[in-house]
Amino acid sequence: MTAVGNGTQTAGRPTRLPRSARRRQLLAAAQEVFVAQGYHAAAMDDIAERAGVSKPVLYQHFPGKMELYLALLDTHCDMLVATVQEAMRGTLDNKERVSASVRAYFDFVDHESESFRLVFESDLRNDPAVRQRVERVEQGCIAAITDTIISDTGVSRAHAELLASGLVGAAETAAQFWLARGRQVPKGEAEALVAALSWRGIASFPLQGESA
């Protein structure tokens, strides 16, 4: 089995990677093993072998399989939340914000399909620590959209959160369905369809100072 990454050996001797680089290498190997085998079937031996390191090296960075799995979830959850936050900050055009939010989810499942399955289709969804992280990414995305809706429309936080949760739910569910059905609709068309559906609802709330 080949090792993840390059430069793990030089002239037959292990190369000492910087700690941050080694951590990224181990996380990449763990993701491949977890996605291929599922959490319960995966073993630390498999991950160490996939990364091309010894088990002691792996345990230097992660004390156990669960800690390694949670570190992967944190990385991908933070990435998705940051993408949605950037979608809110990237333009003042609310229609484009809706499109960018939907696009964030489709990009995530398209380019990071392994990451998406790790976060949203985990066989550990009922574990409290895993469930907390999945809820955190959903709440982080909702919060980013909620703040923008409040700032632009002046509606109450309760109303804004409900609208934001609807947008996030539609984007997440549609993107997951699109991936599961083998990307039958071209990605750009799929994004446009979901964005148009969401925008027709959001657009009924005018900007502050404008009449409905």
Side-chain angles (χ1 to χ4, degrees), residues 166-208:
L167 176 56
V168 167
E172 178 185 324
T173 301
Q176 188 170 4
F177 182 85
W178 176 77
L179 179 66
R181 289 300 179 94
R183 302 176 172 89
Q184 292 178 339
V185 178
K187 178 167 172 282
E189 291 181 22
E191 292 171 357
L193 284 170
V194 179
L197 175 66
S198 300
W199 173 245
R200 286 169 185 164
I202 297 291
S204 65
F205 292 84
L207 297 175
Q208 292 193 69

Side-chain angles (χ1 to χ4, degrees), residues 96-112:
E96 177 53 33
R97 281 171 169 160
V98 170
S99 296
S101 298
V102 172
R103 191 180 310 120
Y105 276 90
F106 275 86
D107 283 347
F108 189 55
V109 304
D110 189 33
H111 303 305
E112 305 287 341

Side-chain angles (χ1 to χ4, degrees), residues 67-137:
E67 288 79 9
L68 182 52
Y69 190 84
L70 294 178
L72 267 175
L73 288 187
D74 285 335
T75 297
H76 297 308
C77 288
D78 291 346
M79 177 174 63
L80 181 55
V81 172
T83 302
V84 173
Q85 289 173 337
E86 181 57 33
M88 294 297 100
R89 293 192 298 261
T91 178
L92 296 178
D93 184 319
N94 283 333
K95 187 174 183 179
E96 177 53 33
R97 281 171 169 160
V98 170
S99 296
S101 298
V102 172
R103 191 180 310 120
Y105 276 90
F106 275 86
D107 283 347
F108 189 55
V109 304
D110 189 33
H111 303 305
E112 305 287 341
S113 58
E114 289 188 355
S115 305
F116 181 86
R117 291 187 172 99
L118 195 72
V119 175
F120 292 106
E121 298 178 357
S122 168
D123 55 356
L124 281 178
R125 283 292 295 267
N126 291 327
D127 180 271
V130 174
R131 186 170 62 248
Q132 185 271 333
R133 282 160 172 80
V134 174
E135 291 173 353
R136 179 171 62 82
V137 69

Side-chain angles (χ1 to χ4, degrees), residues 17-78:
L17 292 177
R19 185 171 182 83
S20 60
R22 179 69 77 192
R23 180 181 173 86
R24 289 193 299 271
Q25 178 198 34
L26 296 175
L27 288 173
Q31 176 166 314
E32 292 182 7
V33 173
F34 284 139
V35 170
Q37 301 181 18
Y39 176 84
H40 294 293
M44 292 292 270
D45 283 332
D46 300 328
I47 295 168
E49 181 181 357
R50 185 71 186 91
V53 302
S54 65
K55 280 183 67 177
V57 169
L58 180 57
Y59 280 112
Q60 285 174 8
H61 292 264
F62 301 99
K65 186 168 69 168
M66 178 57 77
E67 288 79 9
L68 182 52
Y69 190 84
L70 294 178
L72 267 175
L73 288 187
D74 285 335
T75 297
H76 297 308
C77 288
D78 291 346

